[in-house]
Amino acid sequence: MKGTRPLKFIPMLGLFLGLASCSSNPYATTNKAYKKQVKAYAKTLRTTPVVNPGEDSLMRGDQWVGTTNFNLRKPNYVVIHHTAQNSTEQTLKTFTMPKTQVSAHYVIGRDGKVYHMLSDYLRAWHGGTGKWGNTTDLNSSSIGIELDNNGYEPFAEEQINSLLKVLAILKKTHGIPAANFIGHSDIAPSRKVDPNPTFPWKRLAEAGFGTWYNEEAVRNSVFETIIPPYNDSTATVVDSAAIPLPVLPPSTVVAVDTIPLSFQPKEALRIIGYDVQNLEAAIKAFKLHFIQKEVNGVLTDDDKKVLYHLYKKSL
Ligand SMILES: [Zn+2]
């Protein structure tokens, strides 16, 4: 009889464990909803592309022939966001409530904890209406990463360290080009201002995620100017070959980049990827990412130098 006793307790033990896991994971219900949706999409994937005769107007082959050579589609961009919320917990809740209609693949807390909420192969709803280059459906082609941040504060070191690790995995797994690590404000200049101007884009670019400019080349840039034609008939003509040129020691010789008169900032922004339909918004987004101070819709000469060098890199 003793041997039968534990059997009676097994269902109760299961019930207890079940309750314990429910209470320890407040997302047990939404995780179940996730799995149910994945199952439904898997069903779509299992469907062979066969239609009944006469179902459409295509003149089809005599039988369905499936190829043997394929794999899953891959993301080719990473879009970085700040949550503009007060805690990771708040964001996790937002992304598990169907009525919000927003989500991201990853949420990274201020403490560096990474929540991988959605398979990289599925489409998160993080980009909204946006454009980068000629790509308009960024949600279909990108991974969305949300950084827990109230929208104004600097990003925590633990958070950036974790972000860099996630980016390294994504770059390696999916072969994402360095230039395709961008911000939400880059793809939606008229609507979005994330990540905020304290975001370390330069540090990311140095690690291979995103682009930056050669700061020395920018410092040594000058704008091409028009030299007015010489028309002073009273002046004495001097043989320029007779005037000795000053000889500078090699250390003081600097390579100077000349920005041509034909340089067009609007065209440069478009080549980099910005949607320039609203030029002021595009300039603001450019400054938020690459200048990170005085973020407004006006380009100073220094901003134009940065823009010129980024444009040259994008050609
Ligand atoms: Zn965003």
Side-chain angles (χ1 to χ4, degrees):
M1 293 297 282
K2 271 183 182 175
T4 59
R5 191 174 268 182
L7 288 174
K8 283 184 181 172
F9 282 99
I10 285 172
M12 284 183 76
L13 186 70
L15 183 69
F16 172 76
L17 288 173
L19 286 172
S21 71
C22 278
S23 61
S24 65
N25 182 5
Y27 296 106
T29 310
T30 50
N31 283 354
K32 219 171 152 186
Y34 176 107
K35 288 178 182 172
K36 200 176 160 191
Q37 283 190 70
V38 169
K39 219 171 167 180
Y41 288 121
K43 204 175 164 191
T44 306
L45 288 177
R46 280 201 300 272
T47 308
T48 50
V50 173
V51 292
N52 297 320
E55 211 170 282
D56 62 26
S57 60
L58 291 183
M59 190 173 73
R60 293 181 179 269
D62 296 335
Q63 71 270 310
W64 172 65
V65 183
T67 179
T68 53
N69 315 321
F70 59 94
N71 59 2
L72 290 168
R73 289 173 193 262
K74 293 186 299 180
N76 199 36
Y77 292 88
V78 170
V79 178
I80 298 168
H81 305 253
H82 68 215
T83 59
Q85 292 194 314
N86 291 319
S87 68
T88 303
E89 196 52 46
Q90 196 184 349
T91 302
L92 296 178
K93 205 170 170 192
T94 303
F95 289 173
T96 47
M97 287 159 58
K99 68 173 181 188
T100 64
Q101 297 281 289
V102 288
S103 59
H105 294 88
Y106 297 84
V107 175
I108 304 179
R110 291 168 170 84
D111 57 4
K113 279 193 184 158
V114 177
Y115 292 87
H116 190 176
M117 297 189 78
L118 178 67
S119 163
D120 294 354
Y121 295 101
L122 294 172
R123 186 175 182 268
W125 300 342
H126 63 97
T129 305
K131 193 172 177 232
W132 186 249
N134 287 328
T135 301
T136 48
D137 184 3
L138 266 304
N139 278 347
S140 281
S141 54
S142 72
I143 296 285
I145 301 179
E146 288 277 359
L147 302 173
D148 178 33
N149 181 288
N150 66 11
Y152 304 98
E153 66 194 313
F155 294 86
E157 185 57 27
E158 291 87 343
Q159 189 176 38
I160 297 300
N161 280 335
S162 288
L163 172 66
L164 289 168
K165 285 180 189 167
V166 171
L167 297 181
I169 294 168
L170 293 174
K171 190 178 181 184
K172 196 174 169 206
T173 309
H174 305 301
I176 300 171
N180 290 2
F181 291 78
I182 48 182
H184 199 187
S185 55
D186 294 318
I187 66 160
S190 307
R191 300 187 301 115
K192 295 292 173 180
V193 290
D194 62 311
N196 80 46
T198 70
F199 187 73
W201 283 114
K202 183 185 169 187
R203 181 172 163 193
L204 255 69
E206 283 168 354
F209 314 114
T211 46
W212 203 247
Y213 49 92
N214 181 327
E215 291 178 0
E216 201 188 340
V218 166
R219 263 195 307 276
N220 294 334
S221 295
V222 291
F223 292 96
E224 184 185 357
T225 49
I226 303 171
I227 300 162
Y230 187 77
N231 62 357
D232 187 353
S233 58
T234 61
T236 315
V237 177
V238 179
D239 180 5
S240 61
I243 303 168
L245 291 169
V247 178
L248 297 171
S251 60
T252 61
V253 176
V254 284
V256 173
D257 266 310
T258 304
I259 301 170
L261 283 167
S262 59
F263 174 59
Q264 291 176 32
K266 185 178 177 181
E267 185 67 359
L269 287 165
R270 193 185 65 75
I271 296 288
I272 292 168
Y274 288 99
D275 177 1
V276 292
Q277 226 168 29
N278 179 341
L279 183 59
E280 198 185 334
I283 291 171
K284 249 187 201 173
F286 161 77
K287 290 184 75 159
L288 178 61
H289 187 135
F290 294 104
I291 308 295
Q292 302 198 303
K293 60 181 193 313
E294 288 163 26
V295 179
N296 55 37
V298 182
L299 286 172
T300 65
D301 278 356
D302 284 344
D303 300 343
K304 281 182 195 167
K305 289 178 182 177
V306 171
L307 177 58
Y308 175 73
H309 284 273
L310 285 165
Y311 153 74
K312 291 271 281 181
K313 273 183 99 169
S314 307
L315 288 175

